[in-house]
Amino acid sequence: MRADDGDVALQTLLLPFMDGSLTWPEAGGALFLRARDGWPLHQRAWPGLVCEQSYKPDADALERSGLPVIGDESAPGEARYPLVLVLPPRQREESRALFARALASCAPGGRVVACLGNQEGAKSGEADLARIAGPVFSLSKHKCRVFWTAPLQGAADPALAREWAKADRPRPIVDGRFMSRPGLFAWDRIDPASRLLAEHLPGDLAGRAADLGAGWGYLAAELLARCPHITALDLFEAEARALELARVNLSGFADRAALDFHWHDVTKGLSQRFDVVVSNPPFHAHNSADRPDIGRRFIAVAAQALNPGGRLWLVANRHLPYEAALGTNFGKVRAVAERNGFKVIEAVRAADRPVAR
């Protein structure tokens, strides 16, 4: 099975086991943090492999391949593994916290093995793991670096490992108005595109609403604060770590509107119907390449989920080609505002117009 021929970091992560540099444990299994599916996982058996993934599309892909998946626990449980694999994120505080979790999840005598692209911080990631784990060994291929520890008896620097374990914990931002954490989109600030959209939300929006790609909840909170006739709001977010914080950030509105939170890949469609949809859709893949197809799919899903006459309020980078998708799926489309490279668009679902699927 070749789920993603382009995931060279995954391929390089498993290289030491394929070339004989490392041996897969005979017993006890392995924990794979930030796991992703791809053909390298299917080139041979990996007995006892358990995958952890908080990003819904990746978790779904792993499950479709028959791999056991657990959510992001954010702290090590009682289970310890003789091998812990890691695909660290680029954000350094989140990455350091993940290395600390990997060490805490490693059984005595076990190893941690990690891989990063050279352009994604491979050298600094290797240095960080060495700081808390001791000497590491490495191989380079496919413009990536895989690096691993010696057999461990705990952290080489326990105090630093404990400090790093807290590096990505939730914390107040925007003068304490919201809670967020490193690694999330625009984690320490209000994204200027979302701010622009919030500023232009009309007060007459009413009924049941949805926020597609809700993140840690800023846009949803602004919608409820600015639009008193919204009676229910469903938040759809693919990253469980963000959705957890959206629950916290929206808790003050629980008496004002019915709230529901969905760990969901919006591109798979929605089963509910809404009067209002707001969205700042993602437009990047894991490798940071532009993916305007994701935004176009969000637009189509919004049109399918809206009641006739329902309204979509969307913000996007000005250069992204969404106009054709909007024209195909909506009866009325208008540009509302532009600023700093972003555009706000309102689109109204026509009562007699079928939507593309």
Side-chain angles (χ1 to χ4, degrees):
M1 175 180 180
R2 293 178 177 264
D4 182 2
D5 286 333
D7 197 338
V8 291
L10 175 61
Q11 186 176 354
T12 309
L13 176 71
L14 298 175
L15 177 63
F17 302 99
M18 297 303 297
D19 71 6
S21 299
L22 294 175
T23 301
W24 192 264
E26 295 182 359
L31 175 64
F32 189 176
L33 301 177
R34 296 293 194 273
R36 298 195 295 267
D37 190 30
W39 69 261
L41 277 180
H42 306 281
Q43 61 190 326
R44 53 158 282 187
W46 309 102
L49 179 65
V50 176
C51 300
E52 181 185 285
Q53 180 54 255
S54 60
Y55 182 59
K56 184 65 169 170
D58 286 343
D60 287 347
L62 290 161
E63 288 184 337
R64 285 195 301 270
S65 289
L67 295 166
V69 182
I70 58 176
D72 177 9
E73 303 296 332
S74 298
E78 294 182 1
R80 298 292 184 270
Y81 298 84
L83 174 64
V84 181
L85 303 172
V86 189
L87 286 175
R90 187 169 189 170
Q91 208 284 334
R92 198 165 191 184
E93 289 171 284
E94 184 188 7
S95 178
R96 285 177 165 178
L98 201 63
F99 284 143
R101 285 198 53 224
L103 263 64
S105 300
C106 196
R111 295 181 190 268
V112 173
V113 182
C115 183
L116 277 162
N118 293 340
Q119 301 301 315
E120 302 295 317
K123 287 185 178 180
S124 60
E126 182 178 3
D128 279 346
L129 181 59
R131 287 183 65 185
I132 59 173
V136 298
F137 311 88
S138 66
L139 289 172
S140 294
K141 195 169 184 179
H142 307 304
K143 298 183 179 180
C144 296
R145 181 174 299 197
V146 55
F147 44 96
W148 61 90
T149 68
L152 295 170
Q153 299 297 329
D157 189 336
L160 185 59
R162 287 193 296 270
E163 178 184 336
W164 283 4
K166 304 174 184 178
D168 74 335
R169 287 190 177 177
R171 64 203 67 180
I173 63 168
V174 193
D175 297 325
R177 183 181 172 195
F178 298 104
M179 295 292 291
S180 186
R181 66 189 303 179
L184 303 182
F185 172 70
W187 80 267
D188 59 350
R189 64 195 184 281
I190 296 174
D191 168 58
S194 294
R195 184 192 295 274
L196 180 64
L197 177 54
E199 289 173 359
H200 288 86
L201 291 174
D204 65 346
L205 294 176
R208 186 180 183 186
D211 183 352
L212 308 187
W216 47 260
Y218 165 75
L219 190 55
E222 288 293 305
L223 176 68
L224 291 172
R226 295 167 183 266
C227 306
H229 302 296
I230 296 295
T231 58
L233 176 58
D234 289 64
L235 287 77
F236 296 88
E237 171 54 43
E239 177 51 66
R241 299 167 72 250
L243 191 65
E244 175 186 2
L245 291 170
R247 291 179 184 272
V248 174
N249 292 328
L250 273 292
S251 60
F253 294 97
D255 294 334
R256 153 85 165 73
L259 302 177
D260 207 353
F261 301 83
H262 308 268
W263 185 43
H264 184 69
D265 178 1
V266 169
T267 67
K268 302 302 181 184
L270 306 176
S271 59
Q272 302 93 325
R273 304 288 288 185
F274 301 97
D275 304 299
V276 176
V277 171
V278 298
S279 186
N280 178 5
F283 59 93
H284 285 121
H286 278 302
N287 60 6
S288 298
D290 277 6
R291 285 284 306 277
D293 58 300
I294 298 176
R296 288 194 292 265
R297 179 59 184 156
F298 268 54
I299 290 167
V301 168
Q304 294 162 16
L306 279 166
N307 292 317
R311 299 156 74 184
L312 167 66
W313 281 78
L314 175 85
V315 67
N317 283 42
R318 186 168 54 198
H319 74 276
L320 291 174
Y322 291 161
E323 281 70 20
L326 288 161
T328 298
N329 289 283
F330 289 90
K332 178 183 177 183
V333 178
R334 70 182 182 100
V336 177
E338 285 193 13
R339 188 173 72 206
N340 297 330
F342 301 108
K343 56 188 175 186
V344 173
I345 296 170
E346 181 193 28
V348 181
R349 166 79 189 278
D352 58 349
R353 186 170 186 172
V355 297
R357 294 188 178 274

